[in-house]
Amino acid sequence: MRGIRNLKYQKYYRLRILGSLVLASCSERRTVIGVSQCSDDPWRQKVNREIKIGQYQNKNVDVRFCSADNDAKRQVQQIDSLVESDVDLLIVAPSDAHTVTPAVERAYKKGIPVILYDRKIDSDCYTAYVGADNVEIGRVVARFIAAKLGGKGKALEIAGLKGSTPVEERHQGFMDEMKHHPGIATSTVNGDWNVAGARKIMSRCLANDPNIQCVFGHNDAEALGAWEAAKAVGMERDIMFVGIDGLPGERQGIDLVKKGCFAASYIYPTHGEILVTLAMHILNKEPFSRVNYLPSSLVTAENAAIVEMQNNEIMSQANSLDAIYANIDSYMKMYRSQKIISCLAAFIVLLLIVLAAYNYYVYQTKAKVGRRLRQIADEKVRFFTKASHQLRTPLTLVAGPLRQLISQGGFDDKQQQTLDIIQRNVDELEHLTASVLNFQTRVDSATDNTDQRQQPSLSDETVSQLVLQDSRRDIVTKNDPDDDLDTILIVDDNADIRSYLRSLLSASYYVIEASDGRNGLRLARESVPGLIVSDVMMPIMNGLEFCSKIKADDVTCHIPVILLTARSAESQRIEGYEHGADGYITKPFSADLLLTRIESMLANRRKIKLAQLDVKGEASGATDTNSADNLFISRFREAAMQHLSDTDLKMDDLGSELHLSRVQLYRKIKALTGKSPTDIIREMRLNRGHHLLCHTDRPISEIAYEVGFAVPSYFTTCFKKQYGINPTELRRG
């Protein structure tokens, strides 16, 4: 059978590999480009739109965008994530050169080409750079400001976040040019690329020096923030503002120049579409330039209208391209789907051919396996036949003297019961050996083409019969048991073992029985015995599962369990204790050992009550108590306290609240405390009454009613029995 299973697994994996190859041949290899932007400002949104245009211009290219929102650590995580997703190339605009450099180096050293866009890193580990010449931008802006100020005045430079290479390079170019104009006093502060941050900076600077004549913002947002701060104090017309980006749109650089808010804005070129072209040159091993500077110029009042018109035209064309390429994407998806369907059809035809050939191969192999199985079965039969012949001699020597001994008579009931058990098991052994011999003769008369699987298994058949017989012999002696006797539950699928154990225990304990774990669990919940003795190997529910369920049930978790089994290995003992067993005794066992172990466990239960009630009615559980039992006592006490004044309180009602029957509640409380639930509630009522007598001046009869005594005189009687003094004398004292 193992050979057949191996054939099935081989068949599955071969078909899976074949299918993968066919699908791989049907699908087109797509190039994946990952784009990690340092932020999501309007300038970078424009870049992303242009990258999408570049994607449309190249076949089978997918682009994945992510933005770090000026958080360098977040950008490092995003770059690592893109690398793990197996992108073919990375385009990175670093937020902070120092922080982002290690992530770019990791990608580059893994063989992934990296294009730095707009900004650089503190390393030479990149494939190409695309961006403006930020040093030259700084110089151009400085020359423009110097010309407007006539070589004299005060200029404030609001730079971007520290650590960004454009910030350092723009500042370098700006200061290099300003050295040629000593008449212009220049100061520099770092902003955060945002309007709000620049507004606060400008407000502080104006408060310290209201004579600022020009502001150079490293982007249009910072220049706009400075303009708003100046406007707030009525100085927006006295100061010249210059920004960088030169984007179209409301409140962007070109618009602000047109409206006269800015003197100029340097168009910081985007040209995102050339990034995809450069990426494809790199991936296709074609020639490319490692450093690529983008040309640009200033937008001033003289050319702002023309630049805006050109940008609007470009945006209109870009929108049209988006619509066109969206339709193209839809058509390409349909084409790919149809291609996959065609490939799948070819695969199905090929699969049918392979299956036909494979089924013929499996048929031949099964025939070989069947012949081998029949050979093995014959060898087993011969082995058991030989063993049965060898067993007949010792069985004869046992069965003969035993029958002779029984025929003599003169035994008491217990002795006769023991002899009957021996006789039944000897008969069973004789029956088994005879069955094995008879089984050989069934096999010999079978035809060669008989399916071996139709022959009954001797061991399975015998076990099934024994389980069926014993399942009909569940015995529950019908806790009326003497309350002074502890109840022992025996759980074993062998009726003779149960009978033998009952003969050992019945003199000192009230014994109930079950033939499997499922019935044992039911009896344990119904009768709540003082201790359980259980076999391990049983049908329906084995002893380990039975023990686990006993220990997990609120009703039975306190009951000690002794596992009585032939499993004697140390690992098997450990397994028994792991399932909650309190004791583990192996067969063959000593009757004295079992009796002593049971008495010891029950004695310990009597000595260590898991939750005793003190004079105030509070639970005072010992340090070694079971937490589940302590919780149960607490729940019982809380439920009782809620009904303490109820003179008609019934144990059925209290048990219902605790999801137990009256009998289960009685036996559980009795086992844990040594007292009945009624006794405990009476003590709680008397303790409450004692407290009220000592701390209030209410009438005794009213107190009696409040603590649940319908008759005040009975309260007085119980009170005196409990405390040795009646309520009236207590108050006088």
Side-chain angles (χ1 to χ4, degrees):
M1 295 304 292
R2 181 178 298 175
I4 293 176
R5 286 197 298 269
N6 288 337
L7 289 174
K8 290 181 179 178
Y9 292 143
Q10 292 173 13
K11 177 180 178 181
Y12 168 76
Y13 285 117
R14 287 174 181 171
L15 292 178
R16 183 173 178 181
I17 292 171
L18 180 62
S20 299
L21 292 174
V22 172
L23 290 177
S25 66
C26 293
S27 60
E28 296 179 333
R29 174 71 174 90
R30 299 187 67 80
T31 300
V32 180
I33 298 175
V35 179
S36 174
Q37 293 282 19
C38 58
S39 65
D40 193 36
D41 55 66
W43 187 86
R44 299 196 183 277
Q45 292 174 8
K46 184 172 183 289
V47 173
N48 290 345
R49 287 195 299 270
E50 292 168 351
I51 290 175
K52 290 292 290 184
I53 293 173
Q55 174 190 352
Y56 297 146
Q57 294 171 348
N58 292 271
K59 184 181 179 182
N60 297 330
V61 175
D62 290 330
V63 181
R64 300 174 185 171
F65 294 95
C66 58
S67 171
D69 295 326
N70 289 319
D71 185 336
K73 292 182 178 178
R74 181 179 179 187
Q75 188 170 27
V76 168
Q77 295 174 350
Q78 291 175 343
I79 291 172
D80 289 339
S81 177
L82 287 171
V83 171
E84 290 299 321
S85 68
D86 294 328
V87 295
D88 296 292
L89 181 141
L90 276 175
I91 298 174
V92 181
S95 175
D96 175 84
H98 179 70
T99 305
V100 177
T101 294
V104 174
E105 287 180 333
R106 285 195 293 272
Y108 184 78
K109 290 175 181 178
K110 284 187 177 181
I112 299 177
V114 179
I115 298 176
L116 298 181
Y117 181 65
D118 169 39
R119 303 177 179 189
K120 298 179 181 177
I121 58 173
D122 296 336
S123 169
D124 202 40
C125 292
Y126 63 90
T127 309
Y129 169 78
V130 177
D133 187 343
N134 282 291
V135 175
E136 180 60 23
I137 289 175
R139 291 195 183 104
V140 171
V141 172
R143 285 195 291 268
F144 176 80
I145 291 174
K148 287 292 185 180
L149 293 179
K152 296 180 181 179
K154 289 186 177 181
L156 172 64
E157 179 189 21
I158 302 180
L161 285 170
K162 286 185 177 180
S164 170
T165 55
V167 171
E168 297 170 356
E169 292 174 351
R170 290 172 189 175
H171 175 70
Q172 176 187 338
F174 184 75
M175 296 307 295
D176 285 348
E177 182 63 31
M178 281 301 182
K179 290 178 182 177
H180 302 301
H181 306 282
I184 300 177
T186 304
S187 59
T188 302
V189 292
N190 281 94
D192 59 1
W193 301 110
N194 294 314
V195 174
R199 189 188 304 120
K200 293 178 181 178
I201 291 171
M202 186 64 179
S203 297
R204 289 197 301 269
C205 291
L206 286 175
N208 294 330
D209 185 2
N211 297 317
I212 296 173
Q213 295 174 280
C214 178
V215 173
F216 166 37
H218 273 212
N219 68 354
D220 287 337
E222 290 184 327
L224 177 59
W227 179 83
E228 289 179 350
K231 183 179 180 181
V233 294
M235 298 179 63
E236 74 276 13
R237 297 186 180 277
D238 302 327
I239 302 174
M240 179 174 61
F241 298 90
V242 179
I244 296 177
D245 282 344
L247 291 175
E250 185 71 20
R251 286 171 60 85
Q252 299 298 325
I254 297 175
D255 180 60
L256 293 170
V257 172
K258 272 186 62 180
K259 292 178 179 177
C261 301
F262 288 2
S265 176
Y266 196 97
I267 296 178
Y268 196 58
T270 52
H271 295 297
E273 68 280 357
I274 72 169
L275 288 170
V276 181
T277 302
L278 176 60
M280 298 310 297
H281 282 311
I282 294 171
L283 292 173
N284 294 330
K285 309 297 183 182
E286 298 172 355
F288 66 92
S289 298
R290 189 165 189 260
V291 178
N292 304 269
Y293 285 122
L294 303 175
S296 187
S297 61
L298 277 171
V299 177
T300 62
E302 289 78 13
N303 63 5
I306 296 174
V307 173
E308 183 179 47
M309 181 178 66
Q310 291 174 339
N311 273 304
N312 289 339
E313 181 65 23
I314 292 172
M315 289 299 295
S316 175
Q317 293 175 356
N319 291 334
S320 298
L321 283 174
D322 283 341
I324 292 171
Y325 282 113
N327 290 332
I328 292 175
D329 278 348
S330 176
Y331 297 146
M332 288 303 297
K333 288 178 181 177
M334 292 174 60
Y335 166 75
R336 286 194 292 269
S337 298
Q338 292 173 353
K339 189 173 182 180
I340 290 174
I341 291 172
S342 299
C343 290
L344 286 175
F347 168 70
I348 291 172
V349 173
L350 180 61
L351 179 60
L352 291 174
I353 296 173
V354 172
L355 285 176
Y358 197 84
N359 284 335
Y360 178 77
Y361 170 74
V362 170
Y363 172 79
Q364 295 293 331
T365 305
K366 281 184 176 180
K368 293 180 181 178
V369 172
R371 288 192 293 270
R372 178 56 182 160
L373 288 176
R374 285 192 290 273
Q375 181 183 357
I376 293 173
D378 292 340
E379 291 173 356
K380 287 182 179 179
V381 170
R382 285 193 294 272
F383 169 79
F384 284 117
T385 301
K386 183 178 179 181
S388 298
H389 276 294
Q390 293 175 343
L391 285 172
R392 290 179 70 86
T393 299
L395 276 175
T396 300
L397 294 175
V398 173
L402 177 62
R403 292 191 182 98
Q404 185 179 7
L405 183 62
I406 293 174
S407 66
Q408 293 176 359
F411 303 106
D412 58 28
D413 291 341
K414 184 171 290 187
Q415 292 172 332
Q416 186 63 47
Q417 186 179 32
T418 302
L419 289 173
D420 289 342
I421 291 173
I422 297 173
Q423 181 63 64
R424 282 198 298 273
N425 282 276
V426 169
D427 293 341
E428 182 65 29
L429 285 173
E430 289 182 326
H431 171 71
L432 289 174
T433 55
S435 296
V436 173
L437 293 174
N438 292 334
F439 182 71
Q440 174 67 55
T441 306
R442 287 196 302 273
V443 171
D444 290 341
S445 62
T447 58
D448 290 339
N449 60 354
T450 300
D451 188 350
Q452 184 66 25
R453 291 173 297 174
Q454 295 176 353
Q455 299 296 337
S457 169
L458 173 64
S459 56
D460 290 343
E461 178 184 81
T462 304
V463 171
S464 299
Q465 291 174 352
L466 291 175
V467 169
L468 181 60
Q469 292 169 5
D470 284 340
S471 65
R472 294 170 179 170
R473 293 198 297 234
D474 277 7
I475 299 176
V476 181
T477 305
K478 299 298 183 181
N479 323 328
D480 291 329
D482 189 337
D483 284 343
D484 294 332
L485 290 180
D486 288 306
T487 300
I488 304 293
L489 169 61
I490 299 172
V491 186
D492 199 301
D493 61 320
N494 189 299
D496 289 334
I497 291 292
R498 298 200 304 271
S499 177
Y500 177 56
L501 290 174
R502 184 170 67 250
S503 68
L504 290 176
L505 300 172
S506 58
S508 303
Y509 306 102
Y510 176 67
V511 180
I512 58 177
E513 305 173 22
S515 63
D516 59 72
R518 185 173 65 186
N519 285 321
L521 186 62
R522 174 179 57 80
L523 288 177
R525 283 187 55 84
E526 291 176 357
S527 59
V528 193
L531 184 140
I532 298 173
V533 178
S534 174
D535 189 17
V536 173
M537 303 304 294
M538 297 184 294
I540 303 178
M541 180 189 293
N542 65 45
L544 296 177
E545 184 182 358
F546 166 70
C547 187
S548 296
K549 290 184 180 296
I550 286 291
K551 295 301 182 179
D553 195 308
D554 286 345
V555 178
T556 59
C557 60
H558 67 285
I559 303 174
V561 178
I562 296 177
L563 292 180
L564 193 63
T565 176
R567 291 158 49 97
S568 59
E570 182 179 356
S571 60
Q572 293 169 335
R573 288 175 175 269
I574 292 172
E575 186 180 18
Y577 288 121
E578 286 177 343
H579 282 77
D582 299 275
Y584 197 98
I585 299 178
T586 57
K587 300 176 182 177
F589 60 88
S590 164
D592 291 338
L593 173 62
L594 177 62
L595 292 172
T596 302
R597 194 76 180 93
I598 290 174
E599 177 56 32
S600 175
M601 284 189 177
L602 292 175
N604 287 336
R605 295 295 298 181
R606 287 191 290 268
K607 289 179 182 178
I608 304 174
K609 295 303 180 182
L610 297 181
Q612 294 289 353
L613 300 180
D614 60 19
V615 295
K616 295 182 180 179
E618 301 290 339
S620 63
T623 58
D624 59 350
T625 59
N626 182 294
S627 59
D629 291 336
N630 278 335
L631 179 61
F632 176 80
I633 290 296
S634 298
R635 288 171 53 208
F636 168 76
R637 181 180 175 277
E638 290 173 3
M641 285 297 294
Q642 292 178 1
H643 299 282
L644 207 60
S645 61
D646 185 359
T647 58
D648 295 325
L649 177 61
K650 296 180 177 60
M651 289 303 105
D652 287 328
D653 298 332
L654 198 57
S656 178
E657 290 192 20
L658 297 172
H659 306 291
L660 301 175
S661 69
R662 179 179 57 81
V663 174
Q664 289 173 329
L665 178 64
Y666 174 84
R667 289 177 177 166
K668 177 84 172 178
I669 294 297
K670 184 77 172 179
L672 293 177
T673 68
K675 301 176 182 179
S676 70
T678 303
D679 292 338
I680 292 175
I681 293 175
R682 184 186 301 114
E683 289 182 5
M684 293 174 64
R685 284 171 166 168
L686 291 172
N687 291 337
R688 177 62 178 166
H690 186 281
H691 176 80
L692 294 174
L693 286 169
C694 293
H695 296 87
T696 69
D697 57 358
R698 293 159 63 184
I700 294 175
S701 60
E702 183 180 332
I703 291 175
Y705 294 137
E706 182 172 332
V707 297
F709 284 87
V711 181
S713 60
Y714 181 58
F715 168 73
T716 300
T717 301
C718 293
F719 191 91
K720 186 170 184 179
K721 183 177 179 180
Q722 175 78 12
Y723 297 105
I725 185 173
N726 64 43
T728 304
E729 293 172 341
L730 177 67
R731 281 196 162 170
R732 284 199 200 119

